[in-house]
Amino acid sequence: MASVTMSESKSRGFMPAAFRNATADALCMVAVLLLVALAAFVFGGAAMQRVVTYAAIMLTAVLGLQIFSGNSGIVSFGQAAFVGLGAYATGILTMPTALQKTALRDLPQFLAGHQLSFFAALAVVLVLAVIIGLLTGTPLLRLSGSSASIATLAMLIIVYTLLVAGREITRGSQPFYGVPREVGLWTAAAVASVALVAARLFRETSFGLATRAAANDERGAAAVGVDQRTARLAAWVAGVVAAMAAGALMAQFLGAFSPRDFYFDLGFTMLAMLIVGGMTSSLGAFAGVIVTIVLVEVVRRFEGGGEVLGLHLPVLFGLTQGVLAIAMILVIWRRPTGLFGERELNLLRRSGRQAVTASAAPPQHVESDRLTADHLSRRYAGVVAVDDVSLNFQTDSITGIIGPNGAGKTTLLNMLAGDVQPSAGTVSVGGAVRQASAFRFARSGVARTFQNIRVFPHMTVLENVVVAARQVEPDLGHAEAAAMGELARMGLEKFADQPAARLAYGQRRRLEVARALALKPRFLLLDEPAAGMNAVETAELVSILSAVRTERRIGVVLIEHDMRLVMNLCERIVVIDHGRVIADGTPGDVQKNPAVIAAYLGSRTARAKTADQATADQTA
C-alpha cells in the first residue's frame, strides 16, 4: 500500500491545500494594496490619491490580461477593447437622464433613461462581459498560438472601429462626457482586491490547471483528458470580465473619454506592465503595475521639458511610451520571465502536506473490458505507416508491441489513444466506436505516455499529476490526495513542489507514468517507457508496472526496444513490420517465429537459423 504525505482529512476538508496557499498569497497582495491606499489617503494629497486610484484600475485590467495570457500562453493584444466596452456601457447606464437627452439624442430607447448607481451598473456590465466573452471567445479560440494573438489584435481594431462608427450610442470620435465621477480610491481598491483574489485562485482551479497544462504541452494535456478549447474559453471569459470591470471603474474615474483612450496606447501599457512583472503569475501582474506606475510618474515629470541639474530639457512627446518600451525590452532581454519570474508567492508552500502520513485509498480493480483496433490503416502522403491492423487488447493483461525502427508501432499507439485520425478502420473502447480525440479517449479510460517525454515543465510535479486526477476525481482535494498517492508509488513525493523541469530524465519518465495512472485508466499505453533509463531504473519500472497490473487489473500495452524487459514483463507480444502484424503470441512463440527473425536479422540469416533449428529438432 502506498503511503502519501498528506492528511486525508486536510485534503478533503474545508479547503484544498492549493486553494489555501493561493488564498494566503492573494490576501498578502491585497494587504499591500490596501496599505498603499491607506498611505495615500492619510499622507497623500488629491494628486497622489488619483495616481493610486488609477493604479488600482489598471491592476484590475492587467489581472484580466494575466488570467488569459498568463495561463494560456497566448498573448492578447485586444484586452483594451473590452476595457473600452465596459467604460461605454457604464457611461450609458449611469449618465443622468436630463444630460443624456442632450448628449445622446439618438440613443436607442432601450438604452435610455436608466441612470443606475455605479454598483448596479457594474453588475450589468459583468453579466454583459460574460456574454461578450462567450461570443468572442468561442470562434477566436479555435485558433492557437500566434494566430490567436493576431486575431485578438484584429478584435481590438474592430471594437475601436465600432465605437467610432456608433455615433448614436458612443458620440463617435468625440468625447463621451457627462459620466458621474463616483469612483474614488476605496472603490477602485476594493474591486482590484477582488480581482487579485480571483486571478490567484483561478490559477488553481480545474480550468486554470488545464489552461496552464495546454500552454506547456498541448498533446500532453490532451492525453490526460484536458479539453483545451473549453479551458481556454473559461480563461478568456474571466479575463474579459476583469477587463470590463476595469472599464466600468475607468468611466467613472475619468468622467469623459473617447475611443482613442482604449486603443493601442492602453493595450501597449497593459502588456508592458504584465511583461515587466511576469506574465505567468498574479504576483507578476501586481508587481508589474506598481513598478510601471512609479516609472511612468517619474518619467512624466520630464516629458514636458524643463531644467534638470542645470540642463535644459526640451518637450519630449511620447517619452513615457518610449521609456516603457525600453523597460519592456530590457526585461525580456535580461529576465524573459519578468522581474518576479514564473512562480507565485507560495507563502504556505502547502506545508500541511508533509506534516502527517496517511495511507492512500486502496486501488480499485477495473471491470473486464477491451480495446479494439478494427482494420486500422494510416497513410502519410502515399507512405503506409500502418496497414490494415486488427487487434484486441483485454484488461488484466500486459501486451508488448515490438518491431524494427519505422515499423509503425508509435503510429498504431497514437491511433489507439485517439491522438491520430486513422485513414481507414476504427478504434473502439468497451465496444463503443470512438472518433479520434485524445482528450475524449483519456476520459473514456485510455491513458498513455509518449516516446518523447511530455510532462508540463513549468508546472510543479504535483500539479502535473493533479491535472490528470482532476478529470476523474470529484474535487480538487480528492485530486491532490490521489496525485500524492501516485507520486508516492513512483518515489517522487519529495519533489511534489518542485517544477517538473528540474527532475532528472528517469524521474520525468516516472512522472509521466504517475500522471497517466492518476486517470484511473482501464488501459495504459506506454511508448518506450524505459528509454534512457539505467538497469536499476528499468527494473524498478518493471516492478511498478507488474504491481499496477496486479492491483488494478488494467490492460497495459507497451512499445519497447528493450527485449529483456519485454520478454520478462509481457505475456503477449505483437510484432509489427512495415505497418503489418507479422506475429502475435506468447514470448516463446514469437522468439521462434521465422517472420520475426527475418524482420530483425534479415531473410538470409532467418533461413539459416530456421535450418539449424530444424536440424537440431531432427537430431533430438
Side-chain angles (χ1 to χ4, degrees), residues 193-279:
S193 297
V194 173
L196 266 172
V197 174
R200 182 64 184 91
L201 288 177
F202 180 85
R203 179 183 171 90
E204 310 299 338
T205 64
S206 298
F207 290 125
L209 287 168
T211 306
R212 287 193 286 139
N216 276 251
D217 192 305
E218 290 188 359
R219 285 187 68 195
V224 295
V226 169
D227 182 353
Q228 299 171 33
R229 288 183 182 175
T230 301
R232 285 173 175 166
L233 180 60
W236 174 263
V237 171
V240 170
V241 168
M244 291 187 66
L249 293 169
M250 191 73 78
Q252 292 217 344
F253 174 69
L254 296 175
F257 44 84
S258 69
R260 186 168 293 278
D261 293 321
F262 308 104
Y263 203 31
F264 282 116
D265 282 354
L266 178 62
F268 170 76
T269 301
M270 291 168 57
L271 195 57
M273 288 176 169
L274 188 58
I275 290 174
V276 167
M279 182 174 288

Coordinates of all heavy atoms in Angstrom, one line a residue, residues 193-279:
S193 N -9.0 44.4 -5.3 CA -8.7 43.4 -4.4 C -9.5 42.1 -4.8 O -8.9 41.0 -4.7 CB -9.2 43.8 -3.0 OG -8.4 44.9 -2.5
V194 N -10.7 42.3 -5.2 CA -11.5 41.1 -5.7 C -10.8 40.5 -6.9 O -10.7 39.2 -7.0 CB -12.9 41.5 -6.0 CG1 -13.7 40.4 -6.6 CG2 -13.6 42.0 -4.7
A195 N -10.3 41.3 -7.8 CA -9.7 40.8 -9.0 C -8.4 40.1 -8.6 O -8.1 39.0 -9.2 CB -9.3 42.0 -9.9
L196 N -7.7 40.5 -7.6 CA -6.4 39.9 -7.2 C -6.8 38.5 -6.7 O -6.1 37.5 -7.0 CB -5.7 40.7 -6.1 CG -4.7 41.6 -6.5 CD1 -4.2 42.5 -5.3 CD2 -3.5 40.9 -7.1
V197 N -7.8 38.4 -5.8 CA -8.1 37.1 -5.3 C -8.6 36.1 -6.4 O -8.2 35.0 -6.4 CB -9.2 37.2 -4.2 CG1 -9.7 35.9 -3.7 CG2 -8.7 38.0 -3.0
A198 N -9.4 36.7 -7.3 CA -9.9 35.8 -8.4 C -8.8 35.3 -9.3 O -8.8 34.2 -9.7 CB -11.0 36.6 -9.2
A199 N -7.9 36.2 -9.6 CA -6.8 35.8 -10.5 C -5.9 34.8 -9.9 O -5.5 33.8 -10.5 CB -6.0 37.0 -10.9
R200 N -5.6 34.9 -8.6 CA -4.7 34.0 -7.9 C -5.4 32.6 -7.7 O -4.8 31.5 -7.9 CB -4.3 34.5 -6.6 CG -3.4 33.6 -5.8 CD -2.1 33.4 -6.5 NE -1.2 32.4 -5.8 CZ -1.2 31.1 -6.1 NH1 -2.0 30.7 -7.0 NH2 -0.3 30.3 -5.5
L201 N -6.7 32.6 -7.4 CA -7.5 31.4 -7.2 C -7.7 30.7 -8.6 O -7.7 29.4 -8.7 CB -8.8 31.6 -6.5 CG -8.7 32.0 -5.0 CD1 -10.1 32.3 -4.5 CD2 -8.0 30.9 -4.2
F202 N -7.9 31.5 -9.6 CA -8.2 30.9 -10.9 C -7.1 29.9 -11.4 O -7.3 28.9 -12.0 CB -8.4 31.9 -12.0 CG -8.7 31.4 -13.4 CD1 -10.0 31.0 -13.7 CD2 -7.7 31.2 -14.3 CE1 -10.3 30.5 -15.0 CE2 -8.0 30.6 -15.5 CZ -9.3 30.3 -15.9
R203 N -5.9 30.3 -11.1 CA -4.7 29.5 -11.4 C -4.8 28.1 -10.9 O -4.3 27.1 -11.5 CB -3.5 30.2 -10.9 CG -2.1 29.5 -11.1 CD -1.0 30.3 -10.5 NE 0.2 29.7 -10.5 CZ 1.1 29.8 -11.5 NH1 0.9 30.5 -12.5 NH2 2.3 29.1 -11.4
E204 N -5.5 27.9 -9.7 CA -5.5 26.6 -9.1 C -6.8 25.8 -9.4 O -6.9 24.7 -9.0 CB -5.4 26.8 -7.6 CG -4.2 27.6 -7.1 CD -2.9 27.0 -7.5 OE1 -2.8 25.8 -7.8 OE2 -1.9 27.8 -7.6
T205 N -7.8 26.5 -10.1 CA -9.0 25.8 -10.4 C -8.7 24.7 -11.5 O -7.7 24.7 -12.1 CB -10.1 26.8 -10.9 OG1 -9.6 27.4 -12.1 CG2 -10.3 27.8 -9.8
S206 N -9.7 23.9 -11.8 CA -9.6 22.9 -12.8 C -9.3 23.6 -14.2 O -8.5 23.2 -15.0 CB -10.9 22.1 -12.9 OG -11.1 21.4 -11.8
F207 N -10.0 24.7 -14.4 CA -9.8 25.5 -15.7 C -8.4 26.1 -15.7 O -7.8 26.0 -16.8 CB -10.9 26.6 -15.8 CG -12.2 26.1 -16.1 CD1 -13.3 26.5 -15.3 CD2 -12.5 25.3 -17.2 CE1 -14.6 26.0 -15.5 CE2 -13.8 24.8 -17.4 CZ -14.8 25.2 -16.6
G208 N -8.0 26.6 -14.6 CA -6.6 27.2 -14.6 C -5.5 26.1 -14.8 O -4.6 26.3 -15.6
L209 N -5.6 25.0 -14.1 CA -4.7 23.9 -14.3 C -4.7 23.4 -15.7 O -3.6 23.2 -16.3 CB -5.0 22.8 -13.3 CG -4.7 23.0 -11.8 CD1 -5.3 21.9 -11.0 CD2 -3.2 23.0 -11.6
A210 N -5.9 23.2 -16.3 CA -6.0 22.7 -17.6 C -5.4 23.7 -18.6 O -4.7 23.3 -19.6 CB -7.4 22.4 -18.0
T211 N -5.7 25.0 -18.4 CA -5.2 26.0 -19.4 C -3.7 26.1 -19.3 O -3.0 26.2 -20.3 CB -5.8 27.4 -19.0 OG1 -7.2 27.3 -19.0 CG2 -5.3 28.4 -20.0
R212 N -3.1 26.0 -18.1 CA -1.6 26.0 -18.0 C -1.0 24.8 -18.6 O 0.1 24.8 -19.2 CB -1.2 26.2 -16.5 CG -1.5 27.6 -16.0 CD -0.8 27.8 -14.6 NE -1.5 27.1 -13.6 CZ -0.9 26.4 -12.6 NH1 0.4 26.3 -12.6 NH2 -1.6 25.9 -11.6
A213 N -1.7 23.6 -18.4 CA -1.1 22.4 -18.9 C -1.1 22.5 -20.5 O -0.1 22.1 -21.1 CB -2.0 21.2 -18.5
A214 N -2.2 23.0 -21.1 CA -2.2 23.1 -22.5 C -1.1 24.1 -23.0 O -0.6 23.9 -24.1 CB -3.6 23.5 -23.0
A215 N -0.9 25.1 -22.2 CA 0.2 26.1 -22.6 C 1.5 25.4 -22.6 O 2.4 25.8 -23.4 CB 0.1 27.3 -21.7
N216 N 1.8 24.5 -21.6 CA 3.0 23.8 -21.5 C 3.2 22.8 -22.7 O 4.3 22.7 -23.3 CB 3.1 23.1 -20.2 CG 3.6 23.9 -19.1 OD1 4.7 23.8 -18.6 ND2 2.8 24.9 -18.6
D217 N 2.2 22.0 -23.0 CA 2.2 21.0 -24.0 C 0.8 20.5 -24.4 O 0.1 19.9 -23.6 CB 3.0 19.8 -23.5 CG 3.4 18.8 -24.6 OD1 2.5 18.3 -25.3 OD2 4.6 18.5 -24.7
E218 N 0.4 20.9 -25.6 CA -1.0 20.7 -26.0 C -1.3 19.2 -26.1 O -2.3 18.7 -25.6 CB -1.2 21.4 -27.3 CG -1.3 22.9 -27.2 CD -1.8 23.5 -28.5 OE1 -2.0 22.8 -29.5 OE2 -1.9 24.8 -28.5
R219 N -0.3 18.4 -26.7 CA -0.6 17.0 -26.8 C -0.6 16.3 -25.5 O -1.4 15.4 -25.2 CB 0.5 16.3 -27.8 CG 0.3 16.6 -29.2 CD 1.3 15.8 -30.1 NE 1.0 14.4 -30.0 CZ 1.8 13.5 -30.4 NH1 3.0 13.8 -30.9 NH2 1.5 12.2 -30.4
G220 N 0.4 16.7 -24.6 CA 0.4 16.1 -23.3 C -0.8 16.4 -22.5 O -1.3 15.5 -21.8
A221 N -1.4 17.6 -22.7 CA -2.6 18.0 -21.9 C -3.8 17.2 -22.4 O -4.6 16.7 -21.7 CB -2.9 19.5 -22.1
A222 N -3.9 17.0 -23.8 CA -5.0 16.2 -24.3 C -4.9 14.8 -23.8 O -6.0 14.1 -23.6 CB -5.0 16.3 -25.8
A223 N -3.7 14.3 -23.7 CA -3.5 12.9 -23.3 C -4.0 12.6 -21.8 O -4.2 11.5 -21.5 CB -2.1 12.5 -23.4
V224 N -4.1 13.7 -21.0 CA -4.7 13.5 -19.7 C -6.1 14.0 -19.5 O -6.6 14.3 -18.4 CB -3.7 14.1 -18.6 CG1 -2.4 13.4 -18.6 CG2 -3.6 15.6 -18.9
G225 N -6.8 14.2 -20.7 CA -8.2 14.5 -20.6 C -8.5 15.9 -20.6 O -9.7 16.3 -20.4
V226 N -7.6 16.8 -20.9 CA -7.8 18.3 -20.9 C -8.5 18.7 -22.2 O -8.0 18.4 -23.3 CB -6.5 19.0 -20.7 CG1 -6.8 20.5 -21.0 CG2 -6.0 18.8 -19.3
D227 N -9.7 19.3 -22.1 CA -10.4 19.9 -23.3 C -9.8 21.3 -23.4 O -10.3 22.2 -22.7 CB -11.9 19.9 -23.0 CG -12.7 20.4 -24.2 OD1 -12.0 21.0 -25.2 OD2 -13.9 20.4 -24.2
Q228 N -8.9 21.5 -24.3 CA -8.2 22.8 -24.3 C -9.1 23.9 -24.7 O -8.9 25.0 -24.1 CB -7.0 22.7 -25.4 CG -6.0 21.6 -25.0 CD -5.1 21.4 -26.2 OE1 -4.7 22.3 -26.9 NE2 -4.6 20.1 -26.3
R229 N -10.0 23.8 -25.6 CA -10.9 24.9 -26.0 C -11.7 25.3 -24.9 O -11.9 26.5 -24.6 CB -11.7 24.4 -27.2 CG -10.9 24.3 -28.5 CD -11.9 24.0 -29.6 NE -11.1 23.8 -30.9 CZ -11.6 23.4 -32.0 NH1 -12.9 23.1 -32.1 NH2 -10.9 23.2 -33.1
T230 N -12.3 24.4 -24.1 CA -13.2 24.8 -23.0 C -12.4 25.5 -21.9 O -12.8 26.5 -21.4 CB -13.9 23.5 -22.4 OG1 -14.6 22.9 -23.4 CG2 -14.8 23.9 -21.3
A231 N -11.2 25.0 -21.6 CA -10.3 25.6 -20.6 C -9.9 27.0 -21.0 O -10.0 27.9 -20.2 CB -9.1 24.7 -20.3
R232 N -9.5 27.1 -22.2 CA -9.1 28.5 -22.7 C -10.3 29.4 -22.8 O -10.1 30.6 -22.5 CB -8.4 28.4 -24.0 CG -7.0 27.8 -23.9 CD -6.4 27.5 -25.3 NE -5.0 27.1 -25.2 CZ -4.3 26.5 -26.2 NH1 -4.9 26.3 -27.3 NH2 -3.0 26.2 -26.0
L233 N -11.4 28.9 -23.1 CA -12.6 29.8 -23.2 C -12.9 30.3 -21.8 O -13.3 31.5 -21.6 CB -13.8 29.0 -23.8 CG -15.1 29.8 -23.9 CD1 -14.9 31.0 -24.8 CD2 -16.2 28.9 -24.4
A234 N -12.8 29.4 -20.8 CA -13.1 29.9 -19.4 C -12.1 31.0 -19.0 O -12.5 32.0 -18.4 CB -13.0 28.7 -18.4
A235 N -10.8 30.8 -19.3 CA -9.8 31.8 -19.0 C -10.1 33.1 -19.8 O -10.0 34.2 -19.2 CB -8.4 31.3 -19.4
W236 N -10.5 33.0 -21.0 CA -10.9 34.2 -21.8 C -12.0 35.0 -21.2 O -12.0 36.2 -21.1 CB -11.2 33.7 -23.3 CG -11.7 34.8 -24.2 CD1 -13.0 35.1 -24.5 CD2 -10.9 35.8 -24.9 NE1 -13.0 36.2 -25.3 CE2 -11.8 36.6 -25.6 CE3 -9.5 36.0 -25.0 CZ2 -11.3 37.7 -26.4 CZ3 -9.1 37.0 -25.8 CH2 -10.0 37.8 -26.5
V237 N -13.1 34.2 -20.9 CA -14.3 34.9 -20.3 C -13.9 35.6 -19.0 O -14.3 36.7 -18.7 CB -15.4 33.9 -20.1 CG1 -16.6 34.5 -19.3 CG2 -15.9 33.4 -21.4
A238 N -13.1 34.9 -18.1 CA -12.7 35.5 -16.9 C -11.9 36.8 -17.1 O -12.1 37.8 -16.4 CB -11.9 34.5 -16.0
G239 N -11.0 36.7 -18.1 CA -10.2 37.9 -18.5 C -11.1 39.1 -19.0 O -10.8 40.2 -18.7
V240 N -12.1 38.7 -19.8 CA -13.0 39.8 -20.3 C -13.8 40.4 -19.2 O -14.0 41.6 -19.1 CB -13.9 39.2 -21.4 CG1 -15.0 40.2 -21.7 CG2 -13.1 38.8 -22.6
V241 N -14.2 39.6 -18.2 CA -15.0 40.1 -17.1 C -14.1 41.1 -16.3 O -14.6 42.2 -15.9 CB -15.4 39.0 -16.2 CG1 -15.9 39.5 -14.8 CG2 -16.5 38.2 -16.8
A242 N -12.9 40.8 -16.0 CA -12.0 41.7 -15.3 C -11.7 43.0 -16.1 O -11.7 44.1 -15.5 CB -10.7 41.0 -15.0
A243 N -11.5 42.8 -17.4 CA -11.3 44.0 -18.2 C -12.5 44.9 -18.3 O -12.3 46.2 -18.2 CB -10.9 43.6 -19.6
M244 N -13.7 44.4 -18.4 CA -14.8 45.3 -18.4 C -15.1 45.9 -17.1 O -15.7 47.0 -17.0 CB -16.0 44.5 -19.0 CG -15.9 44.2 -20.5 SD -17.3 43.5 -21.3 CE -18.5 44.8 -21.2
A245 N -14.8 45.2 -16.0 CA -14.9 45.8 -14.7 C -14.0 46.9 -14.5 O -14.3 48.0 -14.0 CB -14.6 44.7 -13.6
A246 N -12.8 46.8 -15.1 CA -11.8 47.9 -15.1 C -12.3 49.1 -15.9 O -12.2 50.2 -15.5 CB -10.5 47.4 -15.6
G247 N -13.0 48.7 -17.0 CA -13.6 49.8 -17.8 C -14.7 50.5 -17.1 O -14.8 51.8 -17.2
A248 N -15.5 49.8 -16.3 CA -16.5 50.5 -15.5 C -15.9 51.5 -14.5 O -16.4 52.6 -14.4 CB -17.4 49.4 -14.8
L249 N -14.8 51.0 -13.9 CA -14.1 51.9 -13.0 C -13.6 53.1 -13.7 O -13.7 54.3 -13.3 CB -13.0 51.2 -12.3 CG -13.4 50.1 -11.3 CD1 -12.2 49.2 -10.9 CD2 -14.1 50.6 -10.0
M250 N -13.0 52.9 -14.9 CA -12.3 53.9 -15.6 C -13.3 55.0 -16.1 O -13.0 56.2 -16.1 CB -11.6 53.3 -16.9 CG -10.7 54.3 -17.6 SD -9.2 54.6 -16.7 CE -8.2 53.1 -17.1
A251 N -14.5 54.6 -16.4 CA -15.5 55.5 -16.9 C -15.9 56.5 -15.8 O -15.9 57.7 -16.1 CB -16.8 54.7 -17.3
Q252 N -16.1 56.0 -14.6 CA -16.5 57.0 -13.5 C -15.3 57.6 -12.8 O -15.4 58.5 -12.0 CB -17.4 56.3 -12.5 CG -18.7 55.9 -13.1 CD -19.8 56.0 -12.1 OE1 -19.6 56.1 -10.9 NE2 -21.1 56.1 -12.6
F253 N -14.1 57.2 -13.2 CA -12.9 57.8 -12.7 C -12.5 59.0 -13.6 O -12.2 60.1 -13.1 CB -11.7 56.8 -12.7 CG -10.4 57.4 -12.4 CD1 -10.1 57.9 -11.1 CD2 -9.4 57.5 -13.4 CE1 -8.9 58.5 -10.8 CE2 -8.2 58.1 -13.1 CZ -7.9 58.6 -11.8
L254 N -12.7 58.8 -14.9 CA -12.4 59.9 -15.9 C -13.5 60.9 -16.1 O -13.3 62.1 -16.2 CB -12.0 59.3 -17.2 CG -10.7 58.4 -17.3 CD1 -10.6 57.8 -18.7 CD2 -9.5 59.2 -16.9
G255 N -14.7 60.4 -16.2 CA -15.9 61.3 -16.4 C -16.1 61.6 -17.9 O -17.2 61.8 -18.3
A256 N -15.0 61.6 -18.6 CA -15.1 61.9 -20.1 C -14.0 61.1 -20.8 O -12.9 61.1 -20.3 CB -15.0 63.4 -20.4
F257 N -14.3 60.6 -21.9 CA -13.3 59.7 -22.6 C -13.8 59.6 -24.1 O -14.9 60.0 -24.5 CB -13.2 58.4 -22.0 CG -14.5 57.7 -21.6 CD1 -15.3 57.0 -22.5 CD2 -15.0 57.9 -20.3 CE1 -16.5 56.4 -22.2 CE2 -16.2 57.3 -20.0 CZ -17.0 56.6 -20.9
S258 N -12.9 59.0 -24.9 CA -13.2 58.8 -26.3 C -12.6 57.4 -26.7 O -11.8 56.8 -25.9 CB -12.5 59.9 -27.2 OG -11.1 59.8 -27.2
P259 N -13.0 56.9 -27.9 CA -12.5 55.6 -28.3 C -10.9 55.5 -28.3 O -10.4 54.4 -28.0 CB -13.0 55.4 -29.7 CG -14.3 56.2 -29.7 CD -14.0 57.4 -28.8
R260 N -10.3 56.6 -28.6 CA -8.8 56.6 -28.6 C -8.2 56.2 -27.3 O -7.1 55.7 -27.2 CB -8.3 57.9 -29.1 CG -6.8 57.9 -29.4 CD -6.4 59.2 -30.1 NE -6.9 59.1 -31.5 CZ -6.3 58.5 -32.5 NH1 -5.2 57.8 -32.3 NH2 -6.9 58.5 -33.7
D261 N -8.9 56.5 -26.2 CA -8.4 56.2 -24.8 C -8.3 54.7 -24.6 O -7.7 54.2 -23.6 CB -9.3 56.8 -23.8 CG -9.2 58.3 -23.8 OD1 -8.1 58.8 -24.0 OD2 -10.3 59.0 -23.6
F262 N -8.9 53.9 -25.5 CA -9.0 52.4 -25.3 C -8.4 51.7 -26.5 O -8.9 50.6 -26.9 CB -10.4 52.0 -25.0 CG -11.1 52.7 -23.9 CD1 -12.0 53.7 -24.2 CD2 -10.7 52.5 -22.6 CE1 -12.6 54.4 -23.1 CE2 -11.3 53.2 -21.5 CZ -12.2 54.2 -21.8
Y263 N -7.4 52.3 -27.1 CA -6.8 51.8 -28.3 C -5.4 51.3 -28.1 O -5.1 50.8 -27.0 CB -6.9 52.8 -29.4 CG -6.9 52.3 -30.8 CD1 -7.4 51.0 -31.1 CD2 -6.4 53.0 -31.9 CE1 -7.4 50.5 -32.4 CE2 -6.4 52.5 -33.2 CZ -6.9 51.3 -33.4 OH -6.9 50.8 -34.7
F264 N -4.5 51.5 -29.0 CA -3.2 50.9 -28.9 C -2.4 51.3 -27.7 O -1.7 50.5 -27.1 CB -2.4 51.2 -30.2 CG -2.8 50.4 -31.4 CD1 -3.4 51.0 -32.5 CD2 -2.6 49.0 -31.4 CE1 -3.7 50.2 -33.6 CE2 -3.0 48.2 -32.5 CZ -3.5 48.8 -33.6
D265 N -2.5 52.6 -27.3 CA -1.7 53.1 -26.2 C -2.0 52.3 -24.9 O -1.1 51.9 -24.2 CB -1.9 54.6 -26.0 CG -1.1 55.4 -27.0 OD1 -0.3 54.8 -27.8 OD2 -1.3 56.7 -27.0
L266 N -3.3 52.2 -24.6 CA -3.7 51.5 -23.4 C -3.3 50.0 -23.5 O -2.8 49.4 -22.5 CB -5.2 51.6 -23.2 CG -5.8 50.9 -22.0 CD1 -5.2 51.4 -20.7 CD2 -7.3 51.0 -22.0
G267 N -3.6 49.4 -24.7 CA -3.2 48.0 -24.8 C -1.7 47.8 -24.7 O -1.3 46.8 -24.0
F268 N -0.9 48.7 -25.2 CA 0.5 48.6 -25.0 C 0.9 48.7 -23.6 O 1.8 48.0 -23.0 CB 1.3 49.6 -25.9 CG 2.7 49.7 -25.6 CD1 3.6 48.8 -26.1 CD2 3.2 50.8 -24.8 CE1 5.0 48.9 -25.8 CE2 4.6 50.9 -24.6 CZ 5.5 49.9 -25.1
T269 N 0.4 49.7 -22.9 CA 0.7 49.9 -21.5 C 0.3 48.7 -20.6 O 1.1 48.3 -19.8 CB -0.1 51.1 -20.9 OG1 0.3 52.3 -21.7 CG2 0.3 51.4 -19.5
M270 N -0.8 48.1 -20.8 CA -1.2 46.9 -20.1 C -0.3 45.8 -20.3 O 0.2 45.1 -19.4 CB -2.6 46.5 -20.5 CG -3.7 47.5 -20.0 SD -5.3 47.1 -20.8 CE -5.6 45.4 -20.3
L271 N 0.1 45.6 -21.6 CA 1.0 44.5 -21.9 C 2.4 44.7 -21.3 O 3.0 43.8 -20.8 CB 1.1 44.3 -23.5 CG 1.7 43.0 -24.0 CD1 0.9 41.8 -23.5 CD2 1.7 43.0 -25.5
A272 N 2.9 46.0 -21.4 CA 4.2 46.3 -20.8 C 4.2 46.0 -19.3 O 5.1 45.5 -18.8 CB 4.5 47.7 -21.1
M273 N 3.1 46.4 -18.6 CA 3.0 46.1 -17.2 C 3.1 44.7 -16.9 O 3.8 44.2 -15.9 CB 1.7 46.7 -16.6 CG 1.6 48.2 -16.6 SD 0.0 48.8 -16.0 CE 0.3 50.5 -15.7
L274 N 2.4 43.8 -17.6 CA 2.4 42.4 -17.4 C 3.8 41.8 -17.7 O 4.3 40.9 -17.0 CB 1.3 41.7 -18.2 CG 1.0 40.3 -17.9 CD1 0.7 40.1 -16.4 CD2 -0.1 39.7 -18.8
I275 N 4.4 42.2 -18.8 CA 5.7 41.6 -19.2 C 6.8 42.0 -18.2 O 7.6 41.2 -17.8 CB 6.0 42.0 -20.6 CG1 5.1 41.3 -21.6 CG2 7.5 41.7 -20.9 CD1 5.3 41.8 -23.1
V276 N 6.7 43.2 -17.8 CA 7.8 43.7 -16.8 C 7.7 42.9 -15.5 O 8.7 42.4 -15.0 CB 7.6 45.2 -16.5 CG1 8.4 45.6 -15.3 CG2 8.0 46.0 -17.8
G277 N 6.5 42.7 -15.0 CA 6.4 42.0 -13.7 C 6.5 40.5 -13.9 O 7.1 39.8 -13.0
G278 N 6.0 39.9 -14.9 CA 6.0 38.5 -15.1 C 4.6 38.0 -15.5 O 3.7 38.1 -14.7
M279 N 4.5 37.5 -16.8 CA 3.2 37.3 -17.4 C 2.5 36.1 -16.7 O 1.2 36.1 -16.7 CB 3.4 37.0 -18.9 CG 2.1 36.8 -19.6 SD 2.3 36.7 -21.4 CE 2.6 38.4 -21.8

